[in-house]
């Protein structure tokens, strides 16, 4: 009986000692977490897409709470209104950023870019890009395997079965940038949405010289420079055999698309130009009839 009692008391003593040790250790290494982090996290879209540059919404909420200056921090999914609400809750100033959308800068469809070989491997752009240039003569264009569509958490990207190219649903796109990171050819870019979702951009990333680029793709940029010359806002530059339109300088005047000889410049979501009124053939060329000059009779005074 005494042995059993001794065992019980010993175990109780060890339990008390362990509890005291755990108490002091917990206080020594206690990590304080601001309760506002939970509230800010609930204000976020909880998409965990990584578009903000953090591993998830929880990490982004911690950064918003712990940093005095949150101007460099931005959630593209929630947008400006959400960031203003969070800034108001934290008593800080949020950055003002214009909404963006993903843009596919490649028009090398199956019709425009003939296939020269067949890749018989894993249907992955990343795998194909690591092995060779692609199935066409253009080593810069889309590989058409759909890594970008798989990476999109918002169902905003799909491959067009006719052209083989990815198509962005601008209503669903949140500009999280996941597709930009997933594309090994860097043909997807985040650009300013523009008023009424109107955009003008060069739909080509080929850096080959004009003749080589045009041979590989019918609608490739040939770096002729006509677009840069006609732009009144100096928004177009031609470097390394490729034209590029700076969306911060572009005023959407649409003077450049008609100048492009290959149709590489796209103007998206603009209304169709009004057709010019047809002039009847009879009125188009009117014969000029000279009116006879009337001779004024001179009346002599008698």
């Amino acid at each position: 009986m005494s042995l059993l009692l001794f065992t019980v008391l010993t175990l109780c003593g060890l339990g008390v000692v362990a509890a005291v040790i755990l108490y002091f250790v917990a206080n020594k290494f206690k990590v304080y977490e601001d309760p506002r982090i939970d509230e800010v996290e609930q204000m976020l879209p909880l998409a965990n897409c990584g578009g903000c540059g953090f591993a998830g919404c929880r990490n982004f909420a911690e950064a918003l709470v712990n940093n005095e200056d949150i101007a460099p921090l931005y959630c593209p999914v929630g947008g400006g209104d959400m960031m203003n609400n969070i800034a108001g809750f934290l008593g800080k100033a949020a950055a003002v950023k214009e909404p963006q959308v993903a843009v596919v800068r490649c028009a090398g469809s199956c019709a425009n870019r003939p296939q020269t070989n067949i890749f018989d491997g894993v249907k992955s752009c990343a795998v194909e890009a690591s092995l060779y240039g692609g199935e066409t003569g253009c080593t810069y264009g889309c590989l058409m395997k759909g890594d970008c569509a798989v990476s999109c958490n918002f169902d905003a990207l799909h491959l067009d079965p006719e052209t083989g190219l990815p198509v962005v649903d601008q209503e669903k796109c949140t500009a999280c940038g996941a597709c930009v990171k997933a594309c090994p050819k860097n043909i997807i870019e985040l650009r300013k949405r523009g008023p009424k979702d109107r955009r003008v951009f060069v739909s080509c990333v080929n850096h080959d010289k004009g003749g080589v680029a045009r041979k590989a793709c019918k609608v490739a940029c040939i770096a002729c420079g006509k677009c840069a010359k006609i732009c009144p806002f100096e928004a177009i530059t031609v470097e390394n055999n490729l034209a590029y339109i700076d969306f911060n300088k572009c005023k959407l005047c649409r003077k450049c698309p008609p100048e492009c000889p290959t149709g590489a410049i796209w103007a998206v979501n603009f209304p169709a130009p009004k057709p010019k009124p047809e002039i009847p053939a009879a009125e188009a060329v009117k014969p000029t009839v000279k009116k006879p000059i009337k001779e004024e009779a001179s009346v002599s005074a008698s």
Side-chain angles (χ1 to χ4, degrees):
M1 187 67 181
S2 59
L3 180 62
L4 178 61
L5 182 61
F6 175 76
T7 304
V8 172
L9 292 175
T10 303
L11 291 175
C12 290
L14 290 174
V16 172
V17 172
V20 172
I21 293 174
L22 289 175
Y23 173 78
F24 284 105
V25 170
N27 282 279
K28 178 69 175 179
F29 299 100
K30 182 179 180 181
V31 178
Y32 172 77
E33 189 175 70
D34 196 318
R36 295 179 299 172
I37 295 177
D38 291 329
E39 298 186 45
V40 172
E41 184 183 11
Q42 293 304 314
M43 298 172 70
L44 294 171
L46 302 178
N48 294 314
C49 60
C52 57
F54 292 85
C57 291
R58 181 71 179 183
N59 300 100
F60 185 57
E62 292 176 357
L64 288 171
V65 173
N66 296 329
N67 286 277
E68 290 298 326
D69 182 15
I70 64 172
L73 305 177
Y74 187 77
C75 173
V77 180
D81 293 338
M82 186 206 69
M83 291 301 301
N84 289 332
N85 291 335
I86 294 176
F89 171 74
L90 296 175
K92 302 175 182 180
V96 179
K97 292 187 178 181
E98 295 190 52
Q100 293 183 315
V101 66
V103 171
V104 179
R105 294 184 55 216
C106 178
S109 62
C110 302
N112 294 330
R113 196 167 40 133
Q115 191 176 31
T116 58
N117 56 81
I118 298 176
F119 175 69
D120 188 14
V122 180
K123 300 300 181 183
S124 167
C125 298
V127 173
E128 185 173 340
S130 65
L131 296 176
Y132 77 130
E135 299 177 332
T136 68
C138 176
T139 59
Y140 297 90
C142 178
L143 296 174
M144 304 180 179
K145 297 299 182 293
D147 286 17
C148 54
V150 174
S151 69
C152 183
N153 294 328
F154 304 96
D155 195 35
L157 259 174
H158 299 92
L159 292 184
D160 190 318
E162 183 176 349
T163 64
L165 297 173
V167 178
V168 179
D169 186 338
Q170 62 183 23
E171 299 299 327
K172 295 181 179 180
C173 180
T174 60
C176 68
C179 56
V180 178
K181 298 175 184 177
C183 180
K185 294 295 185 178
N186 299 317
I187 68 166
I188 304 180
E189 178 189 15
L190 295 181
R191 296 181 68 89
K192 186 168 61 176
R193 278 187 176 268
K196 299 182 179 179
D197 287 328
R198 296 173 180 175
R199 298 176 291 280
V200 179
F201 60 93
V202 179
S203 186
C204 181
V205 294
N206 195 325
H207 290 283
D208 289 331
K209 291 185 178 180
V212 178
R214 187 65 185 274
K215 184 178 180 181
C217 181
K218 297 178 182 177
V219 292
C221 174
I222 57 176
C224 63
K226 291 183 178 180
C227 53
K229 292 178 182 177
I230 199 171
C231 180
F233 307 104
E234 299 182 350
I236 305 178
T237 54
V238 180
E239 296 180 0
N240 198 10
N241 302 318
L242 181 66
Y244 180 78
I245 300 177
D246 186 344
F247 55 82
N248 291 313
K249 295 181 180 179
C250 179
K251 304 301 180 183
L252 306 177
C253 67
R254 287 188 294 167
K255 291 184 178 180
C256 53
E259 292 296 314
C260 181
T262 64
I265 301 180
W266 285 24
V268 182
N269 294 330
F270 287 90
K274 296 181 180 180
K276 296 181 180 180
E278 296 183 0
I279 302 176
E283 299 181 8
V285 181
K286 289 185 177 180
T288 55
V289 181
K290 294 183 179 180
K291 296 181 179 180
I293 300 175
K294 296 182 180 180
E295 296 182 358
E296 294 182 357
S298 58
V299 180
S300 55
S302 55

